[in-house]
Amino acid sequence: MALGKVSVNNLNLSQGAVTEVEKYFLFIGTGSKSQGQVLAINTDSDLDVMLGIPASDLKTQITAARLNGGENWACLAVPMAADGTWQTALTKALQLNYSFEAIVICTAVASGGELSAMHDAALSLNNSMGRRAFVIAASESIAPTMTWADYLAEQKAITDDLLAPRVLCVPQLHGNDLGVLAGRLANSAVSIADSPMRVATGALAGLGPVPQDKDGVPLDSSVRSELDKSRFSVSQTYTDYPGVYWGDGNMLDAPGSDFQVIEYLRIVDKAARQVRPLLIRRVADRRLNSSANSMATNKTFFMTPLRAMAKSTTFAGQVFPGEIESPADNAIVLTWKSKTEIEVYISVKPLNCPKALTANIALDLSTTATE
């Protein structure tokens, strides 16, 4: 014999959104106030109150970032003393459990070893905490005693034979280039899949004065071109077109790598951040098993973030594309390595985007027939 029972359970199907950290950057640099504190800053913040009235590396770059970041811009900042280290500041932010997409280090580097250490720190974040971040670093502007040839030789020595795929280095030619680029990358009006080269985003705002070498020769396109070849990220201009824009966001990666520009790294990192919580939800969950139905169902489950990233919007007759192409059926493959271990292979495909455009114009000298 038995008595009747009724139970109602709430089932969590993992259909909610994953918290996004994209376009939220951590700035680290010297400052006269709030040293060692982690500050949340947005467009309404009074930088004189938070960072001190005197000018500082940190304040200069955040001012430029805010100007280029748009109305929804926000960041974290850790001011440090002149003898402080970015490693200590980064550790402080991590201890307080802050998450961010990029680490912007305002103190200029003078050697490839310093950039390599920044890359190691970014790798450590992923290895120890499962967090993905890239570093935006700075190198010095030209010294008053240098010619442009001297400066190029000095800068090229920094990146020669350097492999640091999670680091992007910006020469501080105008004094605030680092902040300008950081703001451009964090602007909510554009996608993480957009290159900072995108002209439709608008010209750079608040860029400092054009530098000159010791002979009074101003910065020109040939210097920028050589810096770009050495994998630095620099501003650029177009002849007879007003405004100053940006070039590629060059990562210090190896030739032939998939991640030589920032937009490719950002979309893959976002996909990884979105998929990771879904993988955690499936630990020891027998809904993921080797049956044909389970494999098909879970392929769809893990593909959910990719479909969201690929979603486009049509407005006023124009299509605003998603961050990636719509995933094909074979974009995700599940492979069982043993009875208790599975590997998920995910393909993320960026859309084609023109960075070099050529128009070919021909003269038509044909005779129009008269009627």
Side-chain angles (χ1 to χ4, degrees):
M1 302 295 290
L3 297 177
K5 295 181 179 180
V6 174
S7 298
V8 178
N9 298 316
N10 290 348
L11 299 180
N12 190 335
L13 303 182
S14 304
Q15 300 173 96
V18 176
T19 301
E20 294 187 0
V21 300
E22 286 77 26
K23 302 182 182 179
Y24 197 50
F25 295 176
L26 170 66
F27 285 74
I28 299 174
T30 56
S32 61
K33 188 177 180 181
S34 306
Q35 294 175 350
Q37 298 181 41
V38 182
L39 308 175
I41 296 174
N42 63 18
T43 53
D44 295 329
S45 300
D46 188 327
L47 298 184
D48 287 341
V49 172
M50 301 187 74
L51 302 176
I53 294 176
S56 65
D57 285 343
L58 183 61
K59 188 177 174 182
T60 297
Q61 305 314 317
I62 289 180
T63 299
R66 183 165 66 174
L67 192 59
N68 286 271
E71 62 181 351
N72 295 315
W73 174 88
C75 76
L76 295 169
V78 182
M80 60 183 189
D83 59 350
T85 65
W86 62 263
Q87 291 93 333
T88 301
L90 175 60
T91 299
K92 178 70 173 180
L94 295 174
Q95 288 173 340
L96 295 176
N97 203 33
Y98 284 105
S99 296
F100 35 81
E101 184 190 13
I103 306 160
V104 185
I105 301 176
C106 301
T107 305
V109 303
S111 70
E114 295 174 82
L115 295 173
S116 184
M118 294 174 184
H119 177 256
D120 292 345
L123 283 183
S124 179
L125 275 181
N126 192 19
N127 295 341
S128 62
M129 307 176 73
R131 292 180 177 176
R132 291 169 175 257
F134 63 91
V135 178
I136 307 178
S139 63
E140 294 283 3
S141 182
I142 187 170
T145 58
M146 284 184 170
T147 63
W148 286 116
D150 297 332
Y151 180 70
L152 287 174
E154 178 187 77
Q155 294 298 297
K156 285 174 175 290
I158 295 175
T159 58
D160 274 353
D161 299 322
L162 176 64
L163 186 63
R166 285 195 167 271
V167 178
L168 179 156
C169 191
V170 182
Q172 293 279 50
L173 291 166
H174 300 81
N176 61 355
D177 305 60
L178 179 76
V180 168
L181 175 60
R184 198 167 179 85
L185 293 176
N187 194 312
S188 61
V190 295
S191 163
I192 61 166
D194 284 316
S195 168
M197 187 189 292
R198 186 173 183 267
V199 173
T201 305
L204 306 180
L207 190 65
V210 177
Q212 298 180 350
D213 70 0
K214 72 172 187 177
D215 298 323
V217 179
L219 172 68
D220 64 18
S221 61
S222 65
V223 175
R224 290 187 175 108
S225 178
E226 286 302 316
L227 289 169
D228 177 75
K229 290 177 185 177
S230 294
R231 299 178 294 167
F232 289 96
S233 297
V234 294
S235 60
Q236 71 171 109
T237 57
Y238 298 91
T239 304
D240 297 329
Y241 194 91
V244 181
Y245 301 86
W246 205 265
D248 257 333
N250 295 316
M251 308 307 295
L252 296 174
D253 207 348
S257 167
D258 290 343
F259 302 107
Q260 296 183 61
V261 290
I262 186 60
E263 61 267 28
Y264 287 174
L265 179 65
R266 295 182 85 185
I267 59 172
V268 171
D269 277 358
K270 179 174 181 177
R273 294 187 195 101
Q274 295 288 313
V275 169
R276 185 172 183 269
L278 303 186
L279 293 171
I280 293 173
R281 292 286 301 176
R282 283 295 187 259
V283 173
D285 187 338
R286 290 188 300 116
R287 286 179 295 175
L288 176 52
N289 57 65
S290 57
S291 68
N293 180 67
S294 174
M295 295 292 276
T297 299
N298 281 281
K299 278 185 66 175
T300 301
F301 177 65
F302 292 128
M303 197 177 285
T304 302
L306 303 189
R307 295 195 188 281
M309 291 176 65
K311 190 172 183 178
S312 62
T313 301
T314 301
F315 176 73
Q318 294 194 42
V319 176
F320 295 84
E323 295 163 337
I324 58 174
E325 287 193 14
S326 295
D329 290 340
N330 61 355
I332 292 186
V333 175
L334 309 180
T335 302
W336 286 93
K337 298 185 68 177
S338 70
K339 294 285 286 183
T340 59
E341 186 177 356
I342 191 171
E343 282 192 348
V344 183
Y345 293 85
I346 301 174
S347 173
V348 177
K349 188 174 184 180
L351 283 81
N352 292 350
C353 182
K355 293 183 178 179
L357 293 84
T358 301
N360 297 298
I361 302 176
L363 184 65
D364 184 353
L365 297 178
S366 61
T367 303
T368 302
T370 58
E371 298 191 12

